[in-house]
Structure formats: structure tokens, C-alpha cells
Amino acid sequence: MSNLTTFDFSARAENTQGATRRETPLHHIIHPNAEMAKVAFNEVAFCAQLTLRGNPDNADFLAGVEKALGVALPLTPLTSHASDSYYVFWIGPNEWLILAPNLAPAAVEASLRAELTGHFAVVDVSGGQTLMTLSGEAVREVLQKSCGYDVEACFPVGKVVTTHFGKATVVLHHQIEGTYLMVVRRSFADYVWRWLEDASAEFGLMVKGA
Amino acid sequence: MLHLFCPYCQELREEDEFHYRGQAHIVRPKDPESLSDKEWGDYLFFRHNPKGIHHEMWYHVSGCRRFFNVTRNTVTYDIYETYKIGETPAVTAKEETE
């Protein structure tokens, strides 16, 4: 190896080529300072995610879930319920997505299985998808660029929609005013990140620590 | 671009989120063994191709992942109604009711 102490790093930043603009191989990842970024991204790593299916007309099923999670299933389309430990999203008329950022998926599954009987399904899908949060003052503009869904007109806090982000199918949730949760399939996660990086370039993108 | 009202999500969504899944209300014969080849062939392969009102299935593949039915005019692309599987359409073509 060469002796790095003798290498002149300042030559890299200086444009020594006259009118020709020099670019490093990674010039495209340079983003504005965190203070200037108008879109903030954060991956909520290893969040417990479970798909629950059952008959919403079965009172025992509804009561069992409420007893296990301490939060009732949202029965109105495109709504969600939240507690200190759980988010429960309406996905379809007999399907819900349970998120538990601070719990082990096996523990959530066990607590549901302890309370539920009869015809139901609970599947740990934590390994198959990941959870992201998007916030910042330009987050709505980025979502409007990326989703066909009308995020500005019909997306109040608490609502959940399954829709497209770029070409990926995502579950989008308006968590608190100006902060959105997005559930992305693991095989689409890199695509969504690259899309987001490009779509938010004009606003400045900041990656927040977990 | 069509705008379809998903009867399960209770919301208008863009066509991108849906797949078209062919003619609706095709009933599988209760006793396939007793059918002639022509009747079985009709059930399997032959579909209406009307000019005007058509009942068809759509799949909300990038949404709630449910099938539902749409009454659509194949000439004007007007969508008259969307309804859940198992329900009967309110709008029907004249020759269907006669």
C-alpha cells in the first residue's frame, strides 16, 4: 500500500481541469446538509409485522383480537387503530396488518393464537417486508410525485391505503400530521429507496438514524 | 385512464391498481360430466363480446386484493356501477332482461 499521509487529498476537491467539471464516482450521493433537507427518511428496522385474517362478522374473533392486542380491529375500510405497542391497519374486508416495532413477532403471534379459535390465520411476515417513515416539509410533494393516489385531497391522519409508490405496491399510512409510514416488500425496498432518492433530490433528502 | 370505485375500499382509484379479469357471472356447471362437448366448450372458452353494456370482473390487485364486478359500456367506456361478488347488477342491457 502507498503511504496515505503523503497523498494530497486537496487535489480531489479542486477543479484543476479548467472548464471541464470533474465528478467523483460517487458524486450523485452528495446531499444538502441535514438542516436544508426537506424530506426525511428512516427505516424502522426489524419491526414485527403480522398478517391477520378472519371473519369480521364473528364476534368471538373480534373480541379475541382485542383481548390479545388491547386494541380493536378497524372494521371501516382504509382505517387504522393504534396503541402504545401496536398499529393495526385495515388491508381488506377480512385482512389486517399488525405492526409492533418493539415486540418479537413470535410473541405477538403466540398472544393471538392463545385467544383465537376457529377459522382464522395469523402469519408472521416480518421477514418479507420492511417499514419506512417519511417526513419533512416536502414529504407530501414527494408522495404526490410517486403515487397515483391523491395524497393531498383524501389522506387524513390515521388513514391506510394500499397503492403504488413508483411501480411498487406499498401500504401507506398517515401516522401523524406530516409523517407517513410505508410498508414495502423486501424485494422492492432497494427500488423504493432509489426512487425516493431521485424523487426527493430537488428537495434534499436526509436519512435519520433509527 | 379509467377511474374505478372499489366496493370494498369504498373509494375511487386509478386503473393502474386494477387488473381486468374477464366476463362476470359465469356459473360453473353443477354436473360437468353430463354436458356435451359443445356445452363444456361454451363454458370454458366462449365469452360475450357485446357492443354496449358489459358485466365484467376486476381485481383490485394493488389495493385490497378483492375481486368485484363492474358494469361498463364497451363503446363509451362509461362505468355505470361497481358491485361486490355475489350481488346482482342494477344496470343491465335490454336484451339481457328480455
Side-chain angles (χ1 to χ4, degrees):
Chain A
M1 289 292 288
S2 61
N3 185 355
L4 284 177
T5 54
T6 63
F7 192 85
D8 181 10
F9 284 100
S10 65
R12 292 203 304 180
E14 296 283 326
N15 184 349
T16 56
Q17 306 292 316
T20 311
R21 186 168 68 100
R22 292 210 308 171
E23 288 178 342
T24 81
L26 289 179
H27 70 279
H28 59 286
I29 66 162
I30 297 167
H31 295 295
N33 294 330
E35 300 82 55
M36 289 163 63
K38 291 181 178 161
V39 180
F41 167 90
N42 174 34
E43 184 185 14
V44 185
F46 307 118
C47 172
Q49 305 186 34
L50 295 100
T51 295
L52 175 69
R53 300 199 65 171
N55 182 2
D57 297 328
N58 179 352
D60 289 344
F61 171 72
L62 298 181
V65 175
E66 188 163 0
K67 199 173 167 200
L69 303 182
V71 53
L73 286 179
L75 299 180
T76 309
L78 311 178
T79 58
S80 66
H81 286 164
S83 69
D84 290 343
S85 309
Y86 297 102
Y87 290 100
V88 186
F89 295 167
W90 185 96
I91 299 293
N94 56 15
E95 182 175 349
W96 294 269
L97 180 67
I98 298 164
L99 304 180
N102 300 314
L103 295 172
V108 180
E109 184 176 343
S111 66
L112 282 165
R113 289 196 184 279
E115 296 297 337
L116 297 178
T117 53
H119 190 62
F120 72 96
V122 53
V123 180
D124 174 10
V125 293
S126 315
Q129 48 202 32
T130 192
L131 181 65
M132 303 168 174
T133 65
L134 297 175
S135 54
E137 59 182 285
V139 66
R140 209 158 292 165
E141 282 85 341
V142 169
L143 288 174
Q144 279 176 296
K145 282 172 78 173
S146 311
C147 304
Y149 190 76
D150 194 345
V151 174
E152 190 165 39
C154 42
F155 205 34
V157 171
K159 192 167 181 176
V160 177
V161 293
T162 309
T163 185
H164 282 148
F165 183 92
K167 289 180 181 177
T169 299
V170 299
V171 178
L172 198 59
H173 169 60
H174 198 170
Q175 185 192 18
I176 48 176
E177 186 58 42
T179 301
Y180 297 84
L181 291 179
M182 193 157 75
V183 179
V184 182
R185 299 260 177 198
R186 69 171 301 137
S187 53
F188 278 103
D190 187 62
Y191 164 80
V192 166
W193 160 252
R194 283 163 197 271
W195 176 286
L196 188 69
E197 212 181 7
D198 183 53
S200 52
E202 60 177 302
F203 307 110
L205 177 67
M206 171 178 63
V207 179
K208 290 202 286 189
Chain B
M1 172 83 73
L2 297 176
H3 258 141
L4 294 163
F5 184 87
C6 173
Y8 294 100
C9 293
Q10 294 286 313
E11 212 173 59
L12 276 169
R13 297 291 185 90
E14 286 186 10
E15 188 183 345
D16 279 12
E17 293 189 12
F18 300 92
H19 279 179
Y20 175 71
R21 294 305 292 261
Q23 185 186 333
H25 305 299
I26 295 170
V27 181
R28 183 183 165 85
K30 280 209 171 66
D31 184 14
E33 297 293 327
S34 67
L35 296 185
S36 68
D37 283 353
K38 185 179 183 307
E39 287 168 324
W40 184 244
D42 281 351
Y43 160 70
L44 278 187
F45 302 116
F46 286 83
R47 299 291 178 257
H48 295 316
N49 185 21
K51 189 176 179 183
I53 287 174
H54 187 225
H55 303 292
E56 54 202 19
M57 275 201 296
W58 285 77
Y59 180 31
H60 196 181
V61 62
S62 296
C64 60
R65 291 191 276 114
R66 284 330 104 145
F67 284 85
F68 60 96
N69 295 327
V70 175
T71 308
R72 184 174 66 91
N73 190 313
T74 57
V75 179
T76 63
Y77 281 80
D78 285 339
I79 291 164
Y80 299 117
E81 58 178 341
T82 59
Y83 52 101
K84 294 176 182 176
I85 296 291
E87 295 177 350
T88 49
V91 180
T92 49
K94 216 175 173 190
E95 57 268 28
E96 283 183 80
T97 53
E98 278 166 0

